[in-house]
Amino acid sequence: MPTTLLSVQGIQKTFGPRTLLEGVSFNVAEGEHIGFIGRNGSGKTTLLKIIIGQETADKGSVEYMPQMRMGYLEQHEDFLPEDTVRSYLIRKSGKEEWECDRMAGRFDLKKERLNARVLTLSGGFRMRVKLSAMLLEDPNLLLLDEPTNYLDLPTQLLFEDFLRNFRGAFIIISHDRELLKRTCDTTLEVERGNVERYSGDVEEWFAFKEERRLEKERHNRTIEAQRRHMQEFVDRFRAKASKATQAQERLKRMAKLEKIDIVQPLKTSRIVIPPTSGRGGVALRLQDLSIGYGERHIADHIELELNKGNRVAVLGENGQGKSTLLKTLTSELTPLAGHVRWGHKLKIAWYAQHVHEALDGRETLGGFLTRSGGGYLYEDILRLAGNFLFSIDDLDKPCSMLSGGEKARACLAGLLLGKPDVLLLDEPTNHLDMETVEALGDALREWNGTVIFVSHSRTFVHLVATTIWDVHDGTVKTYPGTYEEYIWQLKHTLGLVSDNNETMAQVETVVKSSRAERYQELKKKRQAASKLEASLTELGKEKRKLYDEILANPTEFSRERNERIATLETMIRFTEDEWIKAQEELRKLESA
């Protein structure tokens, strides 16, 4: 049995009249990989600070076992101007140079990067330096609070690989479901001051939680029906002497029938973006475009065309020019050369990384939303505010009283009230909790407008992107494959996979010129599409069969069945995406 490293018992924490944490207890054992989830403001970060001693609990205790060696990833930076990567690691850890170099190499900090000054590196590489410094202390329990915020995709993949192979234990707070699914085997969720623990990943936890809620509802309906039948018997026969004893027995039995209290789920975002009225055509043309600041060219000779309705994820390492490109598209930056040409009469809305900091703190939330939605009725503004989890009472709050997450939601709501045709979004998911990130992703996926966005949330990119612009080494080009293929190729470049242990389906991007070759290509694509359709049919049948089993035996819980349903849903989504892609490829070949 694994040894316990940390014991949290009866933690209570209040802020003014609000109880944030109430009687929180759990243990952490060697090797446990724990995903810690919950809404913004639910107390996750506070609990981690109590564990490391930065905050004190009103009640309860935290017990550290003698064998525990804790590592905590600090959010602040303590780099000195003269620090190189190597000298910083030596200074922080007191370890030999070769040990520091070896650890840095795990995060692709090699060769000339070891001698680079840390403050000249991008945010992603600085995080790699901090991770290396933490691990040189040889911890066996890590506490990680949103460690992937602002990390570029390469650093995220390296970090994910590290977590998956880490032999020690960790607790990680993250709003990115993809990261939690791939790295954690246990889930903690804080809700209404209480923490529940589940031995399974976040997907399994949500499935179990929903099934448990449905089971309670079924139980209560059964109890209500039994009570109703007993009450009918009592009302009918209470006055009859021959039935009086039986009526009394039923009254006693009714008193023993207890319903299960069902805590109503927290309200979730239900974002609906009004459709645009524009027709198809070209939304944007970039012609021989150069972007940068002053004399500094970041990317040159950009030639891109984007049709209306497409949703573009702008990907690349930090510092390569993703935000610079978006600022140039908004005219916040002037092109160094070339042209940015938008479609006729397109209304463009721009969400910058720190746009919420520009809110007028004296203006109320309701005033801000009303001003943003000049063409909307007040009832429509109230509805959209509710979609972003704001109550009527919240509308009277000054913006200065809103939390970081609330300000981000307010700015997004205000943006949508402007009825845009095009959304340019730079890190829109920062400060948003998991539910709001996924609700926004679902809404953008259903919207018929054009979206160009930068995001480090893999879940969000998976939900939204139809096209990828790769910003790399002074160029911006359309990536020819899917997001999954982009990730695979990046993993391959980083040395996280090899041809022997992972494969990638290659997409044919060149249409053959001869008629015979074109015929064979069409035949192959049609066969592939037919196979995908057949697979979808079979997967759907199996899923319906499993749900029929649940309906037939509602009180029987089967983890294996739930895992299979979750797997089937993933396979169905993937197969549907592949089928849509196959149909699009067929259409292009047939029209060529």
Side-chain angles (χ1 to χ4, degrees):
M1 188 171 179
T3 303
T4 298
L5 297 175
L6 175 74
S7 181
V8 176
Q9 296 299 322
I11 293 296
Q12 183 168 318
K13 182 69 175 179
T14 59
F15 288 97
R18 182 189 176 200
T19 299
L20 189 63
L21 302 169
E22 186 170 12
V24 172
S25 299
F26 61 89
N27 294 332
V28 180
E30 285 182 332
E32 278 195 301
H33 292 179
I34 300 173
F36 193 13
I37 63 174
R39 292 290 180 84
N40 285 344
S42 60
K44 302 184 300 297
T45 296
T46 298
L47 184 55
L48 253 60
K49 288 182 176 179
I50 290 172
I51 290 173
I52 66 173
Q54 286 188 0
E55 289 197 17
T56 58
D58 300 327
K59 292 182 181 178
S61 63
V62 178
E63 186 176 357
Y64 314 104
M65 304 307 163
Q67 65 272 28
M68 186 200 73
R69 301 182 303 279
M70 185 187 296
Y72 178 65
L73 191 62
E74 296 282 354
Q75 295 299 316
H76 75 276
E77 295 183 346
D78 60 349
F79 305 123
L80 301 176
E82 65 272 15
D83 278 336
T84 65
V85 171
R86 179 182 282 128
S87 67
Y88 174 79
L89 295 179
I90 293 172
R91 176 170 68 83
K92 288 291 289 185
S93 67
K95 299 291 178 68
E96 296 291 332
E97 181 178 310
W98 66 270
E99 292 180 276
C100 296
D101 288 1
R102 185 176 65 178
M103 181 61 71
R106 293 178 62 179
F107 294 97
D108 200 30
L109 293 164
K110 303 174 182 177
K111 299 178 181 177
E112 64 274 6
R113 283 181 181 149
L114 282 169
N115 294 315
R117 294 189 185 275
V118 181
L119 293 177
T120 65
L121 300 176
S122 68
F125 277 101
R126 290 188 197 183
M127 177 60 78
R128 298 186 198 188
V129 175
K130 289 164 67 176
L131 284 167
S132 300
M134 179 182 68
L135 294 175
L136 281 165
E137 301 296 332
D138 191 29
N140 59 2
L141 172 61
L142 305 180
L143 300 181
L144 308 165
D145 189 358
E146 291 290 358
T148 59
N149 271 0
Y150 304 106
L151 293 190
D152 53 30
L153 186 55
T155 307
Q156 284 192 47
L157 294 175
L158 286 166
F159 184 61
E160 177 191 301
D161 183 69
F162 154 71
L163 288 179
R164 291 177 64 173
N165 295 295
F166 184 59
R167 293 184 179 181
F170 63 73
I171 302 175
I172 179 171
I173 295 174
S174 178
H175 293 147
D176 195 330
R177 190 186 293 233
E178 286 293 319
L179 176 68
L180 296 177
K181 281 193 322 187
R182 295 169 186 272
T183 60
C184 298
D185 51 34
T186 302
T187 302
L188 290 177
E189 181 176 28
V190 59
E191 187 173 293
R192 296 185 173 96
N194 298 308
V195 170
E196 287 198 74
R197 177 192 178 98
Y198 181 78
S199 296
D201 67 28
V202 65
E203 296 284 11
E204 295 171 336
W205 163 242
F206 286 140
F208 170 76
K209 190 177 177 183
E210 177 64 13
E211 184 166 338
R212 185 176 61 181
R213 183 185 67 80
L214 294 174
E215 185 176 334
K216 288 179 179 178
E217 289 179 351
R218 288 191 292 267
H219 171 84
N220 287 351
R221 286 195 296 268
T222 301
I223 293 297
E224 190 59 42
Q226 289 175 339
R227 282 181 175 176
R228 189 166 54 251
H229 292 317
M230 290 180 184
Q231 188 65 53
E232 288 172 358
F233 182 91
V234 171
D235 293 342
R236 186 176 178 186
F237 296 113
R238 190 198 306 256
K240 291 189 177 182
S242 60
K243 298 287 187 180
T245 301
Q246 290 174 290
Q248 289 299 319
E249 288 178 355
R250 278 169 169 75
L251 283 171
K252 291 177 182 178
R253 287 169 59 189
M254 282 175 62
K256 293 179 180 180
L257 291 175
E258 294 184 0
K259 287 186 176 182
I260 300 173
D261 290 334
I262 301 177
V263 179
Q264 290 301 312
L266 294 174
K267 185 180 177 184
T268 57
S269 300
R270 289 289 182 269
I271 301 171
V272 178
I273 306 176
T276 67
S277 57
R279 298 180 180 178
V282 176
L284 174 66
R285 283 194 180 95
L286 305 182
Q287 298 171 316
D288 198 24
L289 179 68
S290 293
I291 61 174
Y293 298 86
E295 300 286 324
R296 185 186 173 204
H297 285 235
I298 293 177
D300 295 306
H301 308 300
I302 303 169
E303 296 279 351
L304 292 170
E305 184 173 287
L306 182 65
N307 288 328
K308 294 177 182 176
N310 275 358
R311 304 184 298 275
V312 181
V314 183
L315 304 180
E317 290 185 4
N318 287 347
Q320 290 288 321
K322 303 188 297 295
S323 294
T324 304
L325 175 62
L326 260 63
K327 288 177 181 178
T328 306
L329 299 185
T330 66
S331 300
E332 186 174 321
L333 290 176
T334 303
L336 301 183
H339 302 281
V340 175
R341 303 192 187 279
W342 287 102
H344 183 57
K345 291 186 177 180
L346 288 180
K347 186 173 182 180
I348 301 162
W350 162 232
Y351 181 95
Q353 280 192 38
H354 306 291
V355 66
H356 60 278
E357 295 175 2
L359 286 172
D360 184 347
R362 296 165 297 178
E363 187 175 31
T364 65
L365 172 62
F368 167 73
L369 294 178
T370 301
R371 180 167 53 82
S372 301
Y376 277 89
L377 298 173
Y378 189 65
E379 291 77 9
D380 295 324
I381 293 173
L382 286 177
R383 188 179 302 111
L384 187 62
N387 289 342
F388 278 90
L389 303 181
F390 292 115
S391 67
I392 292 178
D393 292 339
D394 289 330
L395 299 179
D396 293 328
K397 284 184 181 178
C399 290
S400 60
M401 292 181 61
L402 301 178
S403 68
E406 288 173 330
K407 288 178 180 178
R409 296 203 309 270
C411 289
L412 285 167
L415 212 65
L416 300 181
L417 284 168
K419 299 182 180 179
D421 301 298
V422 180
L423 286 171
L424 299 178
L425 309 173
D426 193 0
E427 294 294 352
T429 63
N430 287 341
H431 309 292
L432 300 182
D433 56 32
M434 184 186 297
E435 290 81 4
T436 308
V437 167
E438 295 177 7
L440 179 61
D442 289 336
L444 291 172
R445 183 173 57 188
E446 297 299 321
W447 188 48
N448 68 335
T450 305
V451 185
I452 304 174
F453 69 97
V454 173
S455 177
H456 292 144
S457 169
R458 289 172 61 182
T459 300
F460 188 74
V461 178
H462 270 297
L463 286 171
V464 179
T466 58
T467 304
I468 294 170
W469 285 353
D470 185 21
V471 184
H472 183 68
D473 287 342
T475 64
V476 183
K477 294 182 179 179
T478 300
Y479 182 75
T482 65
Y483 184 54
E484 289 78 9
E485 291 165 343
Y486 182 89
I487 289 174
W488 183 93
Q489 189 174 52
L490 188 52
K491 283 183 175 180
H492 200 278
T493 302
L494 294 169
L496 301 179
V497 297
S498 67
D499 293 328
N500 296 325
N501 63 20
E502 191 172 338
T503 60
M504 177 179 69
Q506 299 297 322
V507 180
E508 288 290 335
T509 57
V510 180
V511 179
K512 306 295 188 293
S513 56
S514 72
R515 290 185 178 181
E517 288 176 330
R518 182 172 174 272
Y519 172 78
Q520 291 298 325
E521 188 68 14
L522 275 168
K523 182 179 177 181
K524 185 168 67 174
K525 295 291 184 186
R526 285 169 180 155
Q527 289 174 344
S530 296
K531 287 181 179 179
L532 289 168
E533 286 184 37
S535 295
L536 278 173
T537 301
E538 292 303 313
L539 291 169
K541 285 180 180 178
E542 185 180 353
K543 181 182 174 183
R544 285 192 295 274
K545 181 180 177 182
L546 292 175
Y547 275 116
D548 288 341
E549 290 178 9
I550 293 175
L551 291 173
N553 300 284
T555 60
E556 179 184 335
F557 175 76
S558 170
R559 179 171 176 175
E560 292 75 17
R561 183 172 61 206
N562 286 346
E563 289 176 344
R564 181 57 183 167
I565 288 174
T567 300
L568 286 170
E569 288 175 342
T570 301
M571 293 171 68
I572 288 170
R573 287 197 301 270
F574 178 80
T575 307
E576 285 174 343
D577 290 343
E578 291 298 302
W579 181 82
I580 292 170
K581 186 169 67 175
Q583 292 297 319
E584 180 64 20
E585 291 170 356
L586 265 175
R587 186 189 65 78
K588 289 180 180 178
L589 281 171
E590 288 169 347
S591 61

